[in-house]
Amino acid sequence: MLEFRNVTKRFETPGGQEVNVLQDVSFTIEDDEFCVVVGPSGCGKSTLLNLALGLIPASVGEVIHNGKTVNSIVSSDVGYITQDANLLPWSTVLENIMSPLEIRGVPKNERREKAMEWAVAVGLEKFVDFYPGQLSGGMQKRCSIARTMVYDPAMIYMDEPFGPLDAITRTILQETLLNLWQSKRKTILFITHDLVEAIALGDTVVVMHGQPGMVKTRIPIPLSRPREIRHLAASSEFVELHTKIWSYLEPAANQQEENELI
Ligand SMILES: Nc1ncnc2c1ncn2[C@@H]1O[C@H](COP(=O)(O)OP(=O)(O)OP(=O)(O)O)[C@@H](O)[C@H]1O
Ligand SMILES: [Mg+2]
């Protein structure tokens, strides 16, 4: 469904210098895969998503979506959930969930019906007439997930969507997301810097490091599904995966490699 092929991205610094923020990044995401990219702050995770969405061009290499090179904004059949819920403040929960259907010309009755279905699916049925400012952070996030799922995109990009939430709300939302993903079968590219979240959710974890950002390794997560996230961290399989991936993220391991490159 999506491939990064030898992608390098250069940006100009405020001082006018060109720097590589991503270097020779290659990996593939299969149809219906839940792929998580994990890496430290500044290693280029959000830049990867911006490239995949066609918001910025690659300096070298290419991003291929459904067999076509991405060279303009990809708007059809993709969803994008960011760290901020980005809801329309003057619209109610139901209106927010309906808004992508309105843009797509879906008739009013059908819009209401579908939006209501998704409000129920994310547990917001009692809050459909509330405005975003009257919701908690977790509820806003539920609303933004429903607003994306309602138009049924095949591919969903998520950039640290649960970052600012407390641990309990996060876990509940992660479980909601996994349930939705399992029933609707979507391809997801999920960005996080939280290793526990990465292992709990993903079929595959792509580990990035460094500045410039590079793919260090790509690790399959063989934990069975459905996963009960709240109990997962206690299992020995989980601990093993955590230790393994953490060893790739440890600054000392990367420092050694960088020294070898010099
Ligand atoms: N438009 C831009 N112009 C110049 N530099 C940029 C631009 N966008 C991002 N960068 C630089 O690219 C690097 C990677 O940024 P990016 O936002 O992709 O990191 P990230 O891995 O998502 O970090 P975080 O986990 O903190 O969100 C940073 O050094 C940043 O300063
Ligand atoms: Mg980011």
Side-chain angles (χ1 to χ4, degrees), residues 10-204:
R10 277 183 216 112
F11 279 126
E12 199 172 307
T13 64
Q17 259 184 319
E18 290 252 307
V19 288
N20 283 2
V21 295
L22 289 172
Q23 193 165 310
D24 202 20
V25 168
S26 294
F27 65 95
T28 303
I29 303 166
E30 304 297 337
D31 285 357
D32 298 340
E33 185 178 346
F34 199 129
C35 175
V36 184
V37 174
V38 71
S41 181
C43 74
K45 302 182 297 299
S46 297
T47 303
L48 267 185
L49 285 197
N50 291 335
L51 287 161
L53 284 157
L55 299 173
I56 51 172
S59 309
V60 179
E62 54 186 339
V63 182
I64 300 158
H65 184 191
N66 278 337
K68 290 192 191 126
T69 302
V70 173
N71 46 26
S72 58
I73 295 177
V74 183
S75 53
S76 63
D77 225 16
V78 298
Y80 184 24
I81 299 177
T82 53
Q83 187 160 357
D84 307 314
N86 282 328
L87 301 172
L88 305 170
W90 56 85
S91 299
T92 64
V93 164
L94 197 67
E95 288 162 354
N96 265 287
I97 302 175
M98 283 194 295
S99 60
L101 300 178
E102 197 173 345
I103 295 165
R104 288 167 175 78
V106 175
K108 194 163 185 186
N109 282 350
E110 199 181 322
R111 303 208 278 270
R112 281 197 89 76
E113 208 175 295
K114 279 204 169 154
M116 199 60 211
E117 267 172 39
W118 277 102
V120 172
V122 298
L124 282 180
E125 65 274 23
K126 294 197 184 116
F127 301 93
V128 287
D129 295 325
F130 281 50
Y131 288 88
Q134 299 170 308
L135 303 176
S136 71
M139 289 154 90
Q140 291 182 18
K141 195 54 72 179
R142 286 170 186 279
C143 187
S144 82
I145 292 173
R147 189 183 53 179
T148 297
M149 297 297 270
V150 76
Y151 62 92
D152 203 24
M155 174 98 212
I156 301 182
Y157 297 104
M158 304 181 90
D159 194 356
E160 307 210 22
F162 307 142
L165 303 172
D166 66 90
I168 298 169
T169 309
R170 245 179 118 105
T171 305
I172 294 170
L173 280 174
Q174 288 163 350
E175 289 182 346
T176 307
L177 176 65
L178 277 192
N179 289 338
L180 294 177
W181 170 73
Q182 264 179 285
S183 59
K184 299 285 172 190
R185 301 312 295 184
K186 309 245 164 242
T187 309
I188 296 185
L189 175 53
F190 188 105
I191 305 287
T192 183
H193 53 246
D194 180 341
L195 190 45
V196 173
E197 179 169 72
I199 301 169
L201 296 176
D203 290 323
T204 314

